[in-house]
């Protein structure tokens, strides 16, 4: 017998004669306290994100590329990691060209092994889309993809995330249900609620532990 | 550079450890301040007492349901993980678990491991095991990094370096990392960030724990604030997750109440910065993430707790640490005095199953039975009842059947058994009881002034001149 058989054998012997506890999942308890009126939903999300040093900005489909340029210019950043293969990536590239802006766009085009040093030490900012948001906890939902890999939202010191206001749900239960998560999860699914932080030294909160020091969320209200 | 921590305190020396800790004013200030803050933060997260109580009851039922089908759920978890491309390993003991991890390291000729925070890896003393075999383990959680630099163990399961203040960390970084002395916490964290950053991509293997393993989808869920957990599970080519067999939940939606209870109870946060759900290794078209993901499922005494319906509730634990934050004993002696990986109330009920009662016999008695731990537990583990139960197991005759806990009878004493037997006879025989009361009251002058530990801080009790029974009889007789 191997370890698995021995462990399962012991557990099964201990359960002999018992009946499994029924699933009396209380949906109301994880949804009712976390419901918001339509006009309050985005306000709640912003308030929760800002409480943990996330920065939020409400903008529009037409305006967001310019907001990105402004945010980067304000920080003196002239290079952005953004996927050229996404709709928002192409949109930003067009805007940069049209504005003749002094912003270099680079894509995450090779496996991380091929450009670790550049990603970790010479990539000041990134921009990714999101799958949605959660008002209750002020969370962004990210499903990294070949176009927008996992480290894009983690390694650069500034992460800019685009969030369509229509994709913001009240709570996690509603979001998982609406997006049918149980049908299949990606390699990595993430909830991101603010920039990286720690209180490991004397309970004192400090931002920018290992991940982004800044998280800027552009809430696109007409999308 | 090798990072091998030694073990300064042992559970068998609990009494001495506690006495030393109590005499350390700095340590007591650090813990008092931190525990007060953590209690406040938790309280602020649960403004609605009714919601809290209903959610705790719900959390308890979700965990109880998972445990009621544990073997089936573990098999389902394994099947779904394997379908997703994750390799699953089973270990009955920490030796087996370490050998599995080392085997993976050898196959990859790994020299360097970067670790996200994992209490199960502490349970395994993985750093020590791999270090002795030429594989260097580096902790990347800021708190764990600090205690590793000090060659110490975590003193809290959520906040490993909570026993230190900023000045102590400043001195440590100055001494060990050759940086300028600064007590500015922002600066100290930046020093940690810069020191660890390159290590994430130099490491051959990333090791993490697991907060919830979801059977339905074959998903490993990890919560964290720093991003080191995401780094450790994404950058190195191999990710090894280690976890206890009890961490499985049935369905994806089951994590919703547990996640809410966990982060609000632990650090008073509505949610952690990152909730990281891993369902497989890098796919062919993906550009990052590990090429291999392994899960090591560790028993290490859990199946012993599982075997008994009452003790099984120990395994409800979601490792939030609220019980220690609210414990008057933990707050005063800190986490190291217990000499165990899991300190505080949860440590006192879980460690006897891992190590046996021989070396942990004093832990269940290190409690004032005030009940705070049971009241705050987000999954309603009746910790005080389980402490009382383990006290009983520790004094039950070693040969008595059935045998529930390894090391049963570690505190058993023939003398004590006889004393209690005599006490029972005395209290159940009216004639004998009256005679003893008569003797006790009439000979009260003979009560010694020094009766051992009792009189170290108190005056000796003196029986009254006449017993209550006598007075009552006299009073009723007069009517």
């Amino acid at each position: 017998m191997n370890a698995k058989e021995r462990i399962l054998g012991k557990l099964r012997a201990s359960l002999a004669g018992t009946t499994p506890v029924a699933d009396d999942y209380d949906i109301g308890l994880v949804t009712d306290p976390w419901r918001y009126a339509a006009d309050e939903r985005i306000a709640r999300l912003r308030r929760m994100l800002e409480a943990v040093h996330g920065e939020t900005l409400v903008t529009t489909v037409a305006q967001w590329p310019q907001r990105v340029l402004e945010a980067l210019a304000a920080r003196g950043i002239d290079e952005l990691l953004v996927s050229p293969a996404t709709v928002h990536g192409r949109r930003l590239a067009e805007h940069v060209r049209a504005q003749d802006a002094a912003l270099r766009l680079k894509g995450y085009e090779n496996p991380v092994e091929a450009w670790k040093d550049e990603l970790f030490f010479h990539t000041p900012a990134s921009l990714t889309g999101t799958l949605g948001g959660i008002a209750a906890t002020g969370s962004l939902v990210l499903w990294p993809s070949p176009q927008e890999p996992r480290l894009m939202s983690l390694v650069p010191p500034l992460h800019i995330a685009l969030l369509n206001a229509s994709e913001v749900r009240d709570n996690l239960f509603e979001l998982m249900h609406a997006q049918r998560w149980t049908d299949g999860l990606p390699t990595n699914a993430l909830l991101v609620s603010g920039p990286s932080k720690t209180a490991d030294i004397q309970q004192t909160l400090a931002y920018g532990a290992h991940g982004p020091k800044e998280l800027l969320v552009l809430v696109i209200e007409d999308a | 550079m090798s990072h091998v921590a030694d073990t300064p305190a042992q559970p068998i020396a609990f009494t001495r450890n506690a006495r030393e800790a109590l005499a350390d004013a700095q340590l007591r200030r650090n813990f008092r301040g931190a525990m007060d803050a953590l209690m406040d933060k938790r309280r602020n997260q649960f403004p609605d007492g009714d919601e809290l109580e209903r959610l705790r009851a719900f959390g308890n039922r979700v965990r109880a349901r998972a445990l009621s089908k544990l073997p089936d759920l573990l098999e389902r978890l394994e099947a779904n993980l394997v379908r997703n491309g994750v390799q699953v390993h089973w270990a009955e003991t920490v030796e087996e678990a370490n050998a599995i991890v080392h085997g993976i390291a050898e196959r990859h000729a790994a020299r360097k491991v970067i670790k996200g925070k994992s209490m199960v890896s502490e349970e395994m003393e993985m750093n020590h095991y791999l270090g002795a075999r030429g594989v260097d383990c580096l902790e990347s959680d800021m708190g764990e990094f600090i205690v590793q630099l000090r060659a110490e163990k975590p003193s809290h399961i959520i906040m490993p370096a909570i026993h230190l203040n900023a000045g102590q960390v400043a001195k440590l970084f100055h001494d060990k990392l050759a940086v300028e002395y600064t007590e500015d916490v922002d600066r100290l964290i930046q020093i940690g960030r810069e020191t660890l950053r390159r290590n994430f991509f130099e490491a051959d293997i990333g090791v993490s724990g697991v907060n919830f393993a979801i059977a339905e989808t074959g998903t490993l869920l990890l919560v964290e604030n720093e991003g080191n957990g995401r780094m450790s599970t994404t950058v190195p080519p191999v990710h090894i997750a280690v976890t206890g067999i009890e961490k499985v939940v049935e369905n994806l939606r089951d994590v919703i109440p547990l996640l809410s209870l966990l982060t609000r109870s632990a650090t008073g946060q509505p949610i952690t910065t990152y909730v990281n759900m891993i369902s497989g290794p890098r796919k062919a078209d993906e550009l990052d993430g590990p090429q291999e993901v392994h899960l090591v499922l560790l028993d290490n005494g859990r199946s012993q707790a599982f075997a008994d319906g009452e003790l099984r509730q120990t395994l409800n634990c979601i490792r939030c640490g609220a019980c220690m934050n609210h414990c008057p004993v933990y707050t005063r002696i800190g986490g190291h005095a217990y000499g165990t990986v899991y300190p505080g109330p949860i440590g006192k009920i879980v460690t006897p199953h891992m190590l046996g009662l021989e070396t942990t016999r004093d832990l269940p008695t290190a409690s004032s039975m005030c009940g705070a731990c049971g009241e705050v537990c987000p999954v309603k583990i009746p910790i005080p009842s389980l402490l009382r139960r383990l006290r009983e197991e520790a004094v039950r005759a070693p040969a008595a059947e059935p045998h529930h806990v390894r090391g049963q009878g570690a505190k058993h004493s023939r003398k004590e058994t006889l004393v209690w037997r005599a006490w029972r006879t005395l209290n159940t025989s009216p004639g004998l009881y009256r005679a003893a009361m008569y003797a006790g009251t009439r000979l009260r002058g003979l009560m010694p002034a020094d009766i051992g530990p009792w009189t170290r801080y108190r005056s000796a009790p003196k029986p009254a001149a006449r017993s209550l029974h006598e007075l009552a009889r006299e009073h009723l007789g007069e009517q």
Side-chain angles (χ1 to χ4, degrees):
Chain A
M1 257 205 308
N2 58 28
K4 174 185 170 182
E5 287 161 355
R6 279 193 301 272
I7 292 170
L8 290 176
K10 278 189 271 186
L11 297 179
R12 289 223 157 86
S14 303
L15 286 179
T18 63
T19 18
V21 173
D23 187 356
D24 56 350
Y25 198 92
D26 188 346
I27 294 174
L29 194 50
V30 289
T31 52
D32 291 344
W34 315 103
R35 288 197 192 285
Y36 310 94
D39 55 343
E40 160 64 9
R41 196 169 296 134
I42 298 298
R44 161 89 188 186
L45 175 113
R46 295 183 67 192
R47 204 163 56 241
M48 295 302 284
L49 267 169
E50 282 162 11
V52 289
H53 278 216
E55 204 179 317
T56 68
L57 207 65
V58 175
T59 178
T60 60
V61 171
Q63 286 297 314
W64 75 259
Q66 184 55 30
R67 295 286 99 84
V68 171
L69 294 191
E70 288 163 10
L72 293 171
R75 290 166 176 80
I77 295 173
D78 60 2
E79 189 175 50
L80 181 71
L81 178 63
V82 59
S83 168
T86 56
V87 173
H88 51 261
R90 282 194 295 271
R91 179 73 212 289
L92 184 68
E94 278 162 27
H95 186 77
V96 168
R97 262 195 309 278
Q99 295 293 307
D100 201 16
L103 177 66
R104 280 194 311 282
L105 302 180
K106 66 176 173 192
Y108 195 134
E109 280 155 357
N110 294 301
V112 61
E113 290 76 15
W115 67 299
K116 272 181 185 170
D117 225 83
E118 191 188 339
L119 174 62
F120 273 75
F121 296 105
H122 305 286
T123 304
S126 66
L127 180 135
T128 73
T130 61
L131 226 61
I134 301 167
T137 48
S139 308
L140 305 176
V141 180
L142 277 82
W143 282 22
S145 62
Q147 291 73 43
E148 294 185 338
R150 294 159 73 162
L151 293 174
M152 245 178 120
S153 60
L154 183 64
V155 175
L158 167 66
H159 174 212
I160 303 175
L162 301 178
L163 173 64
N164 292 340
S166 60
E167 300 295 339
V168 176
R169 306 277 173 173
D170 285 344
N171 50 66
L172 179 57
F173 183 90
E174 206 181 285
L175 181 112
M176 280 183 176
H177 188 74
Q179 298 187 347
R180 307 172 65 96
W181 283 28
T182 48
D183 288 358
L185 284 169
T187 309
N188 187 217
L190 295 162
L191 305 182
V192 175
S193 311
S196 149
K197 64 178 182 289
T198 183
D200 271 358
I201 300 179
Q202 205 182 310
Q203 287 274 293
T204 308
L205 200 51
Y207 288 89
H210 291 292
K213 299 175 183 184
E214 285 185 274
L215 172 68
L216 171 61
V217 180
L218 299 184
V219 183
I220 305 173
E221 60 182 351
D222 52 350
Chain B
M1 181 166 61
S2 178
H3 301 275
V4 179
D6 55 2
T7 47
Q10 294 297 322
I12 192 69
F14 175 77
T15 310
R16 199 190 63 217
N17 302 342
R19 201 172 294 134
E20 284 169 12
L22 285 171
D24 186 339
Q26 178 68 64
L27 186 83
R28 291 187 62 171
R29 267 197 304 277
N30 293 354
F31 271 98
R32 180 81 266 168
M35 296 306 109
D36 285 346
L38 284 166
M39 285 191 285
D40 279 345
K41 284 190 197 167
R42 173 185 173 276
R43 204 165 24 241
N44 293 339
Q45 274 303 316
F46 293 107
D48 179 349
D50 182 53
E51 190 248 352
L52 168 61
E53 287 317 308
R54 289 175 60 207
L55 197 58
R56 288 176 70 222
F58 189 17
N60 175 278
R61 287 201 307 280
V62 169
R63 290 298 301 140
R65 170 159 49 86
L67 294 177
S68 78
K69 6 181 147 166
L70 184 59
D72 292 346
L73 292 186
L74 284 168
E75 287 194 303
R76 191 170 164 208
L77 173 73
E78 181 182 38
N80 283 329
L81 281 170
V82 168
R83 191 202 58 209
N84 293 345
V86 176
Q87 300 175 50
V88 180
H89 312 263
W90 302 68
E92 278 190 287
T93 62
V94 295
E95 292 77 21
E96 283 176 29
N98 276 321
I100 290 165
V101 174
H102 183 234
I104 299 167
E106 275 196 317
R107 267 211 316 287
H108 291 274
R111 283 283 155 265
K112 193 164 177 174
V113 169
I114 190 93
K115 290 179 68 202
K117 202 176 137 31
S118 155
M119 290 311 293
V120 169
S121 77
E122 294 285 346
E123 208 178 305
M124 293 160 60
E125 298 195 42
M126 185 196 288
N127 297 3
H128 182 81
Y129 184 95
L130 293 182
R133 286 155 186 80
V135 183
D136 215 18
C137 292
L138 182 66
E139 296 288 349
S140 65
D141 172 87
M142 290 292 179
E144 293 274 356
F145 175 64
I146 291 166
V147 298
Q148 187 179 34
L149 276 182
R150 284 173 60 101
E152 277 183 334
K153 294 276 176 178
S155 59
H156 189 284
I157 63 169
I158 302 290
M159 304 260 171
I162 205 153
H163 56 292
L164 303 172
N165 61 28
Q168 289 166 302
V169 177
K171 182 162 182 340
L172 176 74
F173 280 11
H174 177 66
D175 292 347
K176 299 270 174 154
L177 303 176
V179 293
E180 83 280 19
Y181 181 94
T182 170
E183 291 185 16
D184 178 66
V185 171
D186 277 318
R187 185 67 206 117
L188 289 170
I189 292 301
Q190 289 314 304
I191 292 168
R193 176 186 172 106
E194 286 151 24
T195 307
L196 287 164
R197 212 158 173 76
R198 187 165 288 278
N199 287 288
F200 286 114
F201 67 79
E202 284 175 356
D204 306 300
I205 292 178
V207 166
S208 78
V210 173
N211 290 98
F212 305 110
I214 303 154
E216 179 185 31
T217 52
T219 301
L220 308 176
L221 186 148
L222 283 78
V223 300
E224 55 146 346
N225 286 312
E226 294 186 3
N228 67 307
R230 285 183 64 195
M231 289 275 195
S232 305
T233 59
T234 306
V235 186
V238 179
H239 167 211
I240 306 175
V242 292
T243 195
I245 51 171
E246 83 284 15
K247 281 287 175 68
V248 62
V249 295
E250 185 172 18
N251 299 318
L252 180 62
R253 67 180 191 174
D254 287 336
V255 303
I256 298 170
L258 296 179
L259 200 53
S260 181
L261 284 164
L262 173 61
T263 64
R264 291 157 87 193
S265 301
T267 47
Q269 292 177 272
I271 194 167
T272 46
T273 304
Y274 302 114
V275 176
N276 182 7
M277 288 163 267
I278 297 165
S279 300
R282 182 191 307 195
K283 294 199 174 94
D285 60 348
E286 290 175 338
L287 299 176
D288 59 18
Q291 310 283 0
E292 272 181 34
V293 177
H294 298 262
L295 174 69
V296 180
L297 289 164
L298 174 64
D299 181 344
N300 192 27
R302 288 163 174 85
S303 57
Q304 173 183 284
F306 190 81
D308 180 280
E310 186 184 26
L311 298 170
R312 187 177 303 156
Q313 298 173 90
T314 310
L315 305 177
N316 280 354
C317 181
I318 55 173
R319 304 281 190 263
C320 71
C323 59
M324 53 198 79
N325 299 345
H326 291 76
C327 177
V329 176
Y330 177 89
T331 303
R332 283 163 181 80
I333 64 174
H336 286 148
Y338 296 85
T340 55
V341 169
Y342 303 96
I346 185 62
K348 291 185 281 197
I349 60 168
V350 76
T351 315
H353 298 291
M354 295 171 175
L355 304 180
L357 278 166
E358 295 94 341
T359 54
T360 58
R361 61 186 144 203
D362 287 334
L363 297 184
T365 57
S367 166
S368 65
M369 290 291 188
C370 75
C373 49
E375 271 177 37
V376 298
C377 177
V379 285
K380 297 191 83 158
I381 302 173
I383 300 176
S385 315
L386 298 181
L387 285 170
R388 197 202 48 73
R389 169 70 190 278
L390 288 169
R391 291 178 181 187
E392 203 176 303
E393 297 299 331
V395 296
R396 243 155 60 86
E401 291 292 338
H403 219 90
H404 300 288
V405 182
R406 184 153 67 89
Q408 168 181 314
K411 275 186 109 125
H412 177 77
S413 120
R414 210 171 274 266
K415 202 167 93 189
E416 195 180 358
T417 311
L418 282 174
V419 168
W420 284 112
R421 202 167 291 156
W423 179 256
R424 187 175 60 195
T425 310
L426 178 71
N427 282 280
T428 50
S429 331
L432 198 56
Y433 183 81
R434 268 196 296 277
M437 282 303 111
Y438 187 84
T441 49
R442 268 47 176 196
L443 302 176
R444 69 196 194 110
L446 300 180
M447 186 76 185
D450 176 2
I451 45 170
W454 179 268
T455 42
R456 200 180 312 143
Y457 304 110
R458 310 170 187 84
S459 53
K462 193 174 184 185
R466 303 170 74 193
S467 74
L468 182 64
H469 278 187
E470 274 184 75
L471 294 173
R473 251 194 314 277
E474 198 174 282
H475 179 68
L476 292 172
E478 280 166 6
Q479 281 183 341

